[in-house]
Amino acid sequence: MLGFWLTLITLAITSSGKSLQKSSLTQKAGLLREIKCLLGDEFPCRQDFVKQRSNAAKNVIYINGIVYTVDDTDWDQTPQRFIHLNGATVLPGIHDVHIHPLESSSRVETTCQLKSKTNPELMKDIFKTCAPRQIGTEWILGGGHSITSILEHIEKGGRPPREIIDEVLSDVPVVMLEETSHSVWVNSEALRRANITKDTPMRPGGVIMRVEGTNEPNGILLEDEGVSIMEFALKPTPELEELNYVGLIDGLWYLNENGITSVSDARVVWGRGHDKTWERVCKEGKLTVRANLALWAYPQKEDAQQIEALKDMYSNVNPECFLRKNQIKVYIDGLLESTTAAMQEPYVKNLNLPGIFDNRGMNIFDQSRLSKYINKLQHFGDNDGFDFLVHAIGDRGVHEALNAFDDSWISGTRHRMTHLEQVKPEDFNRFERLNVIADIQVAGNFTKPSARGNIESLVGKDRAYNFIPLRSIYDAHAHVTLSSDWDVSTPNPFIGIQNAISRGHQSVKVKDAVEMYTINAAYAMRQEHVVGSLATGKDADFIAIDTDIIDQNNKDVIHKTRVLQTVLAGEEVYWAEDQNLVDDATCQILEDSYYYGSCSFDHYCNAYP
């Protein structure tokens, strides 16, 4: 029988598993104050209490709930019944191996909130009202619009986008990031500061849209041209660094609220100091997840210099916290919606993008350049080297990335490819053969089968049928993970699980989806020997939730699941305000104290058998 011992503050059970003996009234009164602090609504009190946990931790067994260990193969068949969970369900902590906590939480980049499908001409009033609210930089930032709506506006003869912003904001640089983060909409002042003119040539990985009939930039920058102009807007300053820090702290709480205990920040833009922000949170003891940082490989930087810079940032062990810089993020292609994802055959829709003459998308890193980076960085010196996280959406991009891994193959790597929206059947088996992890996102509404019509308009009905072939890749015995790509999609893993089991012929089982978010993802982060399942000798990373998601009777309500408690390495990092998880000994103390009115025993304990 597999039990698991948890290093927690819960004041209930001794290391022998026996209830606490009755203590003196003085001891009891002090303990009661701590219990009331822990269980009550006084958040500052609870916050202070948490700080003492490392000095006051006890060994605890959780009982009276359903515990899915995700350990071995039959973990879903024999849930162990072991604090009183009051019927709650326990799972290993959720891993999200493709997420953007810092970028998603920073208030700097979200000043102007644009609606997805609004006519660009109707956004002028938004620019007027939002610009004075900008913080952290003199550039006006925001976004949320649809690249499709902007391009359709141009196709129908609408004004160049830069002119629309210039009409209301001409003397300050403006950058609006579209909803998928793969393009920006800018004004003339932003173009001037970035030195983008009619004479700027096409550069690696980017597209400068032009005014029809001229070579003048129209204000739309795709892929790396958009990323590059943000380097000007977000050049590190003390104020900006502080705002990023505050944003990351907020983001970590949100992750814990969603049951997430491990993440891979999937694009750490080191030129903007993002890695330094993570390091500060680590040093201050405020990191409440295990984090692998995927350092961004800039398409426009010189290779030899960038490769050496990335080597210098490598770190696979941090004695201060669970932070490692041991992954590299590379884009091999773009996006289906903007027809920049690299496809084997032409798109059905043609946006006539400058420099892309065959309408088959583009490479941001091409196969040979990706191979060079893999060869130089997957192993160097006396360390294990970097694992690569490659953005690949189109079937040609997927194929070429797999070729690059094949060309550079050595044993022991755990490279992964993310998104995989279009994959040729002949490439399914290559994931297992090359030990390349397939990382897939299905939490967003745009990934649902019901949204397939939009994909058909881009690539045709036949290719849209297997949009995001989750089941096909899984059946080919690939090592598959699920992730969110927050803030493109919600970080809520239970929405991701619900969508993963609701994809028609590309659905997987609940058990499979849970493993993709836990033990499989732990493998991708090289920590499956420590976390990812609940087993003797592993760290206590786990969550308590209000729904038994493995029960077939609950398969349609998984997305409504609520996290009650999140525990990292035995320390509670999140608890729902109205949680009702109390142990036997606490109930006994509360019951004893009930007679002199110190606490409401009934509120916490009357539901327990």
Side-chain angles (χ1 to χ4, degrees):
M1 177 174 172
L2 179 64
F4 61 100
W5 290 87
L6 311 171
T7 309
L8 295 174
I9 187 57
T10 312
L11 303 173
I13 300 175
T14 67
S15 59
S16 64
K18 296 178 181 178
S19 298
L20 291 171
Q21 300 299 313
K22 290 186 177 181
S23 57
S24 67
L25 287 177
T26 302
Q27 291 172 318
K28 186 182 297 183
L31 188 55
L32 273 168
R33 284 194 296 272
E34 293 175 333
I35 293 170
K36 290 174 70 178
C37 176
L38 179 64
L39 299 177
D41 295 327
E42 301 176 18
F43 181 77
C45 175
R46 297 175 69 179
Q47 196 171 37
D48 291 339
F49 190 68
V50 169
K51 295 177 182 177
Q52 305 171 23
R53 292 182 178 185
S54 60
N55 297 323
K58 302 292 183 183
N59 287 325
V60 175
I61 297 175
Y62 276 50
I63 62 173
N64 195 31
I66 300 172
V67 180
Y68 293 112
T69 64
V70 194
D71 183 44
D72 210 344
T73 58
D74 60 349
W75 56 264
D76 62 324
Q77 301 300 319
T78 57
Q80 308 297 322
R81 291 192 175 269
F82 290 92
I83 267 162
H84 262 302
L85 288 167
N86 197 22
T89 294
V90 169
L91 289 171
I94 298 295
H95 288 56
D96 194 320
V97 295
H98 185 135
I99 193 168
H100 305 278
L102 194 157
E103 290 186 272
S104 300
S105 303
S106 174
R107 294 187 295 127
V108 176
E109 301 177 46
T110 58
T111 306
C112 296
Q113 295 292 324
L114 306 181
K115 293 182 179 179
S116 177
K117 302 296 184 182
T118 304
N119 184 323
E121 293 284 359
L122 301 180
M123 295 184 185
K124 290 179 290 187
D125 289 341
I126 297 177
F127 295 133
K128 289 179 183 178
T129 57
C130 69
R133 299 197 299 266
Q134 182 64 51
I135 58 175
T137 175
E138 63 177 320
W139 292 58
I140 308 303
L141 304 177
H145 60 281
S146 161
I147 182 62
T148 303
S149 64
I150 297 287
L151 294 177
E152 287 177 351
H153 164 81
I154 297 170
E155 186 179 2
K156 294 176 181 178
R159 284 197 296 169
R162 64 186 281 188
E163 290 185 13
I164 297 174
I165 306 180
D166 285 350
E167 184 177 324
V168 291
L169 294 172
S170 59
D171 58 348
V172 60
V174 178
V175 180
M176 295 292 121
L177 185 68
E178 56 90 19
E179 60 187 350
T180 68
S181 79
H182 280 257
S183 71
V184 298
W185 173 17
V186 304
N187 68 346
S188 296
E189 180 62 15
L191 292 169
R192 185 187 70 79
R193 296 200 185 191
N195 197 29
I196 297 175
T197 70
K198 62 182 178 61
D199 299 318
T200 302
M202 185 170 180
R203 296 179 287 201
V207 174
I208 301 170
M209 297 288 287
R210 310 286 180 169
V211 176
E212 187 175 3
T214 77
N215 213 32
E216 288 289 341
N218 72 2
I220 296 297
L221 306 175
L222 299 175
E223 302 303 341
D224 194 59
E225 289 293 353
V227 175
S228 295
I229 203 169
M230 293 296 284
E231 294 293 289
F232 293 91
L234 297 173
K235 185 178 180 180
T237 64
E239 180 187 4
L240 185 57
E241 289 170 354
E242 188 65 24
L243 289 167
N244 283 340
Y245 166 79
V246 172
L248 181 55
I249 293 292
D250 290 344
L252 291 173
W253 173 259
Y254 187 46
L255 298 181
N256 296 152
E257 184 181 25
N258 280 283
I260 297 170
T261 57
S262 290
V263 301
S264 174
D265 186 329
R267 188 175 70 172
V268 175
V269 191
W270 45 278
R272 304 178 198 167
H274 288 181
D275 56 322
K276 303 301 181 185
T277 302
W278 279 100
E279 289 172 359
R280 177 183 171 188
V281 172
C282 165
K283 290 177 181 177
E284 294 183 2
K286 297 177 181 178
L287 187 59
T288 57
V289 296
R290 301 172 194 267
N292 286 5
L293 305 189
L295 303 172
W296 173 245
Y298 284 83
Q300 293 187 21
K301 287 188 181 294
E302 192 274 330
D303 290 341
Q305 183 179 10
Q306 176 162 231
I307 286 169
E308 291 306 311
L310 292 169
K311 286 181 180 179
D312 289 341
M313 287 184 277
Y314 175 84
S315 172
N316 201 31
V317 177
N318 192 318
E320 297 180 301
C321 68
F322 301 121
L323 180 67
R324 293 178 288 167
K325 293 183 284 185
N326 61 351
Q327 297 179 1
I328 300 292
K329 177 65 176 292
V330 176
Y331 279 22
I332 200 166
D333 67 354
L335 197 71
L336 290 178
E337 283 83 348
S338 56
T339 68
T340 54
M343 298 293 290
Q344 299 276 19
E345 301 297 331
Y347 286 87
V348 172
K349 178 178 284 189
N350 192 338
L351 299 177
N352 298 305
L353 300 182
I356 303 177
F357 305 107
D358 58 5
N359 197 29
R360 296 193 306 130
M362 63 182 291
N363 286 105
I364 296 177
F365 268 60
D366 62 22
Q367 180 180 321
S368 62
R369 193 180 184 199
L370 176 57
S371 293
K372 178 198 298 186
Y373 274 70
I374 295 172
N375 275 315
K376 295 288 187 181
L377 293 171
Q378 66 182 346
H379 180 74
F380 58 91
D382 297 326
N383 54 65
D384 293 330
F386 288 100
D387 290 323
F388 275 70
L389 171 57
V390 177
H391 164 114
I393 285 184
D395 53 16
R396 178 167 61 85
V398 171
H399 183 77
E400 291 172 347
L402 288 169
N403 289 348
F405 287 128
D406 203 352
D407 293 341
S408 313
W409 191 91
I410 60 173
S411 64
T413 58
R414 298 192 186 180
H415 304 312
R416 69 188 184 277
M417 292 166 58
T418 189
H419 303 310
L420 306 176
E421 294 181 3
Q422 294 284 293
V423 185
K424 288 289 189 181
E426 53 265 34
D427 280 328
F428 292 158
N429 292 326
R430 299 179 73 194
F431 288 91
E432 181 194 24
R433 180 170 65 82
L434 297 171
N435 193 36
V436 173
I437 299 161
D439 177 50
I440 294 173
Q441 300 83 40
V442 294
N445 287 336
F446 73 96
T447 69
K448 293 180 177 180
S450 59
R452 197 178 292 157
N454 180 54
I455 305 302
E456 289 181 5
S457 70
L458 296 163
V459 300
K461 188 173 183 178
D462 289 344
R463 286 184 287 181
Y465 181 68
N466 281 320
F467 175 62
I468 310 182
L470 173 61
R471 181 58 182 264
S472 296
I473 295 175
Y474 176 75
D475 284 348
H477 307 293
H479 198 104
V480 180
T481 60
L482 288 173
S483 60
S484 68
D485 198 15
W486 181 53
D487 63 349
V488 173
S489 302
T490 173
N492 186 329
F494 303 103
I495 293 177
I497 292 171
Q498 184 79 74
N499 289 357
I501 68 171
S502 310
R503 298 188 56 77
H505 70 292
Q506 290 295 348
S507 298
V508 295
K509 297 177 181 177
V510 175
K511 178 178 182 289
D512 302 330
V514 170
E515 290 178 342
M516 293 171 187
Y517 268 116
T518 55
I519 191 64
N520 290 11
Y523 175 85
M525 291 182 65
R526 293 183 177 268
Q527 59 188 29
E528 77 282 3
H529 60 292
V530 179
V531 291
S533 64
L534 303 176
T536 303
K538 286 193 172 185
D539 286 359
D541 286 20
F542 70 94
I543 59 174
I545 56 178
D546 67 354
T547 304
D548 178 4
I549 62 174
I550 304 299
D551 188 333
Q552 285 296 304
N553 293 322
N554 295 326
K555 65 180 182 179
D556 295 327
V557 295
I558 292 174
H559 64 287
K560 297 181 180 180
T561 298
R562 182 165 171 260
V563 175
L564 304 176
Q565 183 186 48
T566 302
V567 175
L568 175 72
E571 291 199 29
E572 188 179 51
V573 292
Y574 170 78
W575 57 97
E577 288 300 317
D578 58 346
Q579 70 168 328
N580 193 16
L581 306 180
V582 186
D583 59 83
D584 283 333
T586 304
C587 284
Q588 183 62 53
I589 295 169
L590 292 173
E591 185 175 17
D592 291 347
S593 69
Y594 179 67
Y595 297 107
Y596 55 84
S598 297
C599 190
S600 174
F601 164 72
D602 288 341
H603 177 71
Y604 294 110
C605 303
N606 62 358
Y608 301 134

